[in-house]
Amino acid sequence: MGIGFAGLFILSSCSTTKRYNYLKNIQGDTTLTGLVTNNFESKIQKGDQLSILVTSLSAAEDEQFNKAAAVSSSPATSGFTVYPDGAILLHRLGRVQAAGLTRRELQNKLHTDLLGYMKEPIVNVGYLNHKVTVIGAVGSSQVLPMPEEQLNIFEVLVKSGDINPEGKKDQVMIIREEGTSKKVKIVDLEDKAIFSSPWYYIQPNDIVLVKADTDKEEKAEKRARTQNTIAMVTASASFLLIIIDRITR
């Protein structure tokens, strides 16, 4: 019986309770207002790598245009490079000014310009070199591709394996480049106010850093060591008592 009790104690001491306390101050059913919108549109910049896919009623023209991507790209990617003068080099159209336009504006421009060469062209433009870096107390620190404008903070964290139990959900750091400077913001993911924060949507080239609660980690490790020691001593004592009991019978 003593051994069984000790074994149960060991199992209970090794188990840990993981708590995920996002949005702690939302109480039951509710409606949130004043939320930040996701209408941010980044401007194409010199040095960007763009994916441009054109489809139309002319399969032959589609093949010629889309094959040109591999010819005009850098070796690192299979897209269209925005050159130092802000232009991209396209089949049929030659040099087209892209820097300073949004993806949607470039799509519309290319659609209009291609009407003379293709039947009902449909143009899709994406980013190949935009990314967000996620590091710290997450499941997997990594660089995430960002072909569109932005991702919300929860999407970024889910793609990175979520915040670890020791991660501070109320102290997530976002580092954002603005020109020649970097802005740093600490956001609280336990507070519903995150939905109205301009930092809710992660922008291209942001860095998301999840800090670890080192005190919590150290206390948890110390508690685990103490519990394991007690469990081993209890198991040993129980085993010894059983042996003594059998000897003295």
Side-chain angles (χ1 to χ4, degrees):
M1 181 175 176
I3 294 178
F5 174 78
L8 180 63
F9 189 90
I10 292 173
L11 289 175
S12 63
S13 67
C14 292
S15 64
T16 57
T17 302
K18 296 181 180 180
R19 301 187 178 214
Y20 294 93
N21 297 319
Y22 291 113
L23 309 174
K24 284 165 55 173
N25 59 354
I26 294 182
Q27 303 296 326
D29 297 338
T30 186
T31 299
L32 303 177
T33 59
L35 307 183
V36 64
T37 61
N38 63 343
N39 58 359
F40 169 79
E41 289 188 280
S42 58
K43 302 284 188 180
I44 297 170
Q45 302 179 28
K46 300 171 184 178
D48 273 343
Q49 294 285 336
L50 304 177
S51 66
I52 302 177
L53 179 65
V54 177
T55 57
S56 70
L57 298 180
S58 173
E61 284 293 340
D62 294 350
E63 182 181 2
Q64 287 298 317
F65 187 94
N66 293 319
K67 186 166 58 177
V71 176
S72 61
S73 66
S74 70
T77 59
S78 57
F80 294 85
T81 301
V82 182
Y83 292 108
D85 63 353
I88 52 178
L89 185 61
L90 301 176
H91 176 67
R92 292 288 194 193
L93 302 180
R95 301 187 76 83
V96 176
Q97 194 66 25
L101 302 179
T102 65
R103 289 189 310 123
R104 187 181 308 177
E105 290 170 341
L106 181 58
Q107 286 173 178
N108 293 338
K109 176 177 174 53
L110 294 180
H111 173 268
T112 300
D113 293 347
L114 288 170
L115 285 174
Y117 304 99
M118 295 179 169
K119 298 177 181 179
E120 300 182 19
I122 298 174
V123 183
N124 184 273
V125 177
Y127 291 108
L128 292 174
N129 63 327
H130 282 192
K131 63 187 183 302
V132 55
T133 303
V134 189
I135 55 177
V138 293
S140 176
S141 295
Q142 59 184 305
V143 177
L144 296 173
M146 203 170 184
E148 298 186 355
E149 307 303 330
Q150 55 196 5
L151 295 168
N152 70 55
I153 182 65
F154 294 109
E155 289 175 315
V156 168
L157 292 172
V158 167
K159 288 177 180 290
S160 300
D162 207 352
I163 295 179
N164 295 336
E166 70 274 11
K168 293 184 176 182
K169 298 178 181 67
D170 60 341
Q171 293 188 42
V172 176
M173 178 184 294
I174 302 173
I175 304 171
R176 179 167 298 167
E177 291 186 12
E178 292 192 356
T180 58
S181 63
K182 293 184 184 295
K183 294 184 68 173
V184 178
K185 179 70 175 178
I186 304 295
V187 299
D188 183 357
L189 300 185
E190 296 182 351
D191 190 342
K192 64 184 179 182
I194 184 62
F195 290 121
S196 57
S197 168
W199 296 82
Y200 174 66
Y201 284 103
I202 301 302
Q203 296 183 11
N205 304 317
D206 280 357
I207 298 173
V208 178
L209 170 60
V210 180
K211 297 182 178 180
D213 188 341
T214 54
D215 291 339
K216 183 178 178 181
E217 275 188 291
E218 291 173 0
K219 289 178 181 178
E221 290 176 2
K222 184 177 180 180
R223 182 168 58 251
R225 287 196 299 268
T226 301
Q227 289 176 338
N228 287 335
T229 300
I230 293 173
M232 292 176 64
V233 170
T234 303
S236 299
S238 299
F239 182 71
L240 182 61
L241 288 174
I242 292 173
I243 293 177
I244 292 174
D245 179 67
R246 291 182 177 179
I247 293 175
T248 56
R249 283 182 182 180

